[in-house]
Each structure stands twice: as structure tokens, then as C-alpha cells.
Amino acid sequence: MSAEASNPEVPLVGSPYEYRVALGEKVGDIGIRSALDSGDWGFIHSFQTGSAVDGPGMRIVAWTSGCQFQCVYCHNPDTWKLTNGMPVTLTRAVEVVNQYRHSLRTMKGGLTISGGEPLMQHRFVLKLFAAVRKAGVHTALDTNGYLGDRLSDEDLGHIDLVMLGLKAITPDLHQRLTGKDNQPVHEFARRLAAKRRPVWIRFVIVPGWTDDLNEVGKMADFAASLGNVERVDVLPFHQLGRFKWEKLGMEYQLRDAQPPSKEKVEEVLARFRAAGLKVV
Ligand code: SF4
């Protein structure tokens, strides 16, 4: 297939807050299977340039489509469906990243692959990382960790940083928050720890869901027990994605939720610090 052929008018470089749907809907089941099996092309919502919040330094971020979680607070529900993303060849994706490689190196940044959930397309992700790493670009994987067993130990050695999104520690809460069990996530976290791979934890404070300090304490203790967590990004819930839920016609449980107060954010940060972790 000719990647990007179906939607030539949609720019590849954009923002995760752009609403993008059905960009790969013409691909079909055989094409999807071919992409997932070969990793020679993938589905991407957009490339964002100049991000200072998705890993160290200044970064280009590839926002992939496809996610097996359905987080109640997700700000990019248009990325859940694989074929909402744009079909892009590996060659083209490498070109996009490599045109920025000198400035990425100068600004101590690199490529972050986020989503959606990047490991839905793990072969594409690994090939893209391998190609840009050859050009000296730092690689970071922003993942919910559920499909971590798709990565071999050798694969892990080719990813410079894993940014692991931990949603909740209490199993029932995690299930209600994401629709999935957190056991595979914890197994991946422990495996990364055993391999001494650098990890940043990402934790979203969702009022009424994850802001209970007892739950936060369990999260902090789990993160601290790993021994390989370089820092924790504490991210306050926001409403920038509400319009996407509305456009998709999906029920949004957090429609009227407010971002956490400064005091609550401070309390959460303090709990992570008390566990000996660096927080941002
Ligand atoms: S893991 Fe990320 S992309 Fe997937 S549903 Fe949760 S917040 Fe959204």
C-alpha cells in the first residue's frame, strides 16, 4: 500500500490536541495485519515538534494510534482506534525525525513515541527507534506498560528511556479507571527494574479517582521499591480533551470534573518525595 495516500491533505506534523479520525480507515484488515506483522509502516495520529514535557530536553513526539486501555480521563480518545491514525511508512517516519536530528542533539532531546499506546504497534516502534538511534537520536517510549512482554530484553536495551504511565495501584481502581488489569503493568515495571533500565513514572491526579492520599502513598511506595525510577512526572488532570469525547459521541464521566487544586497537587508531590523519589 502507499502510506499517506489516503489522506494527503492532512499534515503529518501537528498537535495531539487536534481531533483526527478515520485517517487510515481505507487500509482494511489485510493492510492492518501487514503493518502490525512487518513494522514497515504504522498508524500515527501526528508528529509534534518542540515538546519540552515528553522526556528529557526538546523532543519530537510521534503520537501513535491504537490503545487497549479506555482511561476515563483520556485526553486523546481519538487515538484509541488504530485506523483513526494516518498510515505512514517507516521510511517516511524516519525522514521526519531525522530532519530534526541535529537540533534534537543540540537541545539534549530526542524522539518520544507516545500514543495511544505505542506497543500496539511494537514492531514499527522498534524499527523506528533503531533507525533514529543510528543517527544519534535519544529514544523514549511513553507507554502504559500493559504490552511490555512484547519487548525482548534485547529490545529494552535499544530504548534509552521508558516513561511508564502508572494509573492506579489498587487493582479494582485500575480496572474501573482503564478497563484493564494492572498486573501486566506491574510485571513490566519489575522487569525494567531487574534490567536496570532508566524509567520515569507518569501519574495523573484525577479528582475523585486517583487523588486519595492512601492510593497515592501505595503508588509512591511501589515506584520507590523499583529502584530504577529516575523521576516521577505528576500530571494534573485537565479538560483539554473534553471536546474529543463530545465529537466522538462517547460518554465522558469526567465532563464536569475540575483540575486538582494546587494544595492537592502539593500533597501528592510531597507523598512521592517522602518515598525518596524526585518529582516534577
Ligand atoms: S493509556 Fe493513554 S491513550 Fe490509552 S486510554 Fe489511557 S490515557 Fe488514553
Side-chain angles (χ1 to χ4, degrees), residues 67 69-71 73-74 79-80 115-117 144 167:
C67 188
F69 280 14
Q70 298 192 342
C71 299
Y73 59 84
C74 183
T79 64
W80 291 2
E117 169 46 49
N144 64 33
K167 318 293 187 185

Side-chain angles (χ1 to χ4, degrees), residues 64 66-77 79-80 114-118 142-145 165 167 177-178 204 245:
T64 58
C67 188
Q68 73 289 70
F69 280 14
Q70 298 192 342
C71 299
V72 295
Y73 59 84
C74 183
H75 56 247
N76 286 320
T79 64
W80 291 2
S114 186
E117 169 46 49
D142 181 14
T143 176
N144 64 33
K167 318 293 187 185
L177 198 61
T178 69
V204 182
W245 288 81

